[in-house]
Amino acid sequence: MQTVKERFDIKYKIDYNTDCWEWTGALTRGGYGHMRYKINDKWTMKRAHRVAYELYRGELEDGKVIMHKCDNPRCVNPDHLEQGSHHDNNMDMVRKGRCGHPLSRAKITMEDAKRIRHLYHNEKMKQREIATIYNLKRNSISLIVNNKRWKED
């Protein structure tokens, strides 16, 4: 029977342009490789980059995730992988522009929120009218005028 390492080592090909070890086995919907293997007569399934890290770099610390320096979910090159917290991984995604900060996708600005509050509280405009003006849902306007969203510091 093949060892986990033997089973792993036949499931990737090297892209010499990027030095990524491209996983050729099964993929998740998100594009990450995964593999099934037997340990102590029990089958287990793990993401391929986690297997790569454990085989070539050592055990993962509790609560840590594996981050791809190359931003290639199919890559299993241990030199492209590093441990980090969930927060580290999220900040890495934001820093590299793969996942924007929630406010970077916002339809309005803080100035808009101030104006919305003014229209509601001072001009006595109805929330649904304001929602139409700003192309937002009435519920979003409610959250703004009640200071549950777009709070001022």
Side-chain angles (χ1 to χ4, degrees):
M1 184 190 290
Q2 288 179 316
T3 66
V4 173
K5 186 171 182 324
E6 289 170 336
R7 196 167 161 79
F8 174 85
D9 283 339
I10 61 171
K11 297 280 187 177
Y12 66 83
K13 64 179 181 183
I14 298 173
D15 179 335
Y16 291 101
N17 293 321
T18 63
D19 286 328
C20 286
W21 297 4
E22 296 276 341
W23 187 251
T24 59
L27 299 175
T28 66
R29 285 184 182 170
Y32 292 90
H34 65 94
M35 69 178 285
R36 191 171 163 233
Y37 57 92
K38 217 175 207 182
I39 292 186
N40 300 329
D41 292 326
K42 285 191 174 185
W43 286 100
T44 188
M45 179 90 73
K46 272 192 181 177
R47 291 215 174 169
H49 61 280
R50 291 179 70 91
V51 175
Y53 191 92
E54 291 170 355
L55 286 172
Y56 290 93
R57 307 229 9 228
E59 223 172 286
L60 273 167
E61 295 175 35
D62 283 342
K64 297 291 185 176
V65 297
I66 299 298
M67 304 186 317
H68 287 84
K69 295 180 205 174
C70 57
D71 296 330
N72 178 359
R74 289 179 57 181
C75 181
V76 294
N77 180 342
D79 291 336
H80 292 191
L81 307 173
E82 63 185 355
Q83 286 190 54
S85 67
H86 286 283
H87 177 75
D88 295 335
N89 198 31
N90 289 335
M91 294 313 296
D92 184 55
M93 288 189 302
V94 170
R95 192 172 38 257
K96 292 176 178 175
R98 287 184 288 117
C99 176
H101 186 278
L103 294 182
S104 71
R105 295 185 307 271
K107 294 180 181 180
I108 66 169
T109 65
M110 181 56 84
E111 289 306 311
D112 293 328
K114 289 177 186 177
R115 180 78 178 135
I116 288 168
R117 286 189 190 99
H118 174 80
L119 291 171
Y120 180 76
H121 294 295
N122 299 83
E123 304 290 327
K124 305 298 182 200
M125 193 177 275
K126 294 187 182 298
Q127 290 181 14
R128 71 174 174 272
E129 294 170 327
I130 300 170
T132 300
I133 293 168
Y134 283 91
N135 196 26
L136 296 171
K137 293 182 179 175
R138 197 216 45 87
N139 185 52
S140 296
I141 300 299
S142 176
L143 293 170
I144 293 167
V145 299
N146 290 305
N147 280 323
K148 295 187 180 190
R149 295 286 188 275
W150 289 97
K151 298 176 189 174
E152 296 183 60
D153 294 330

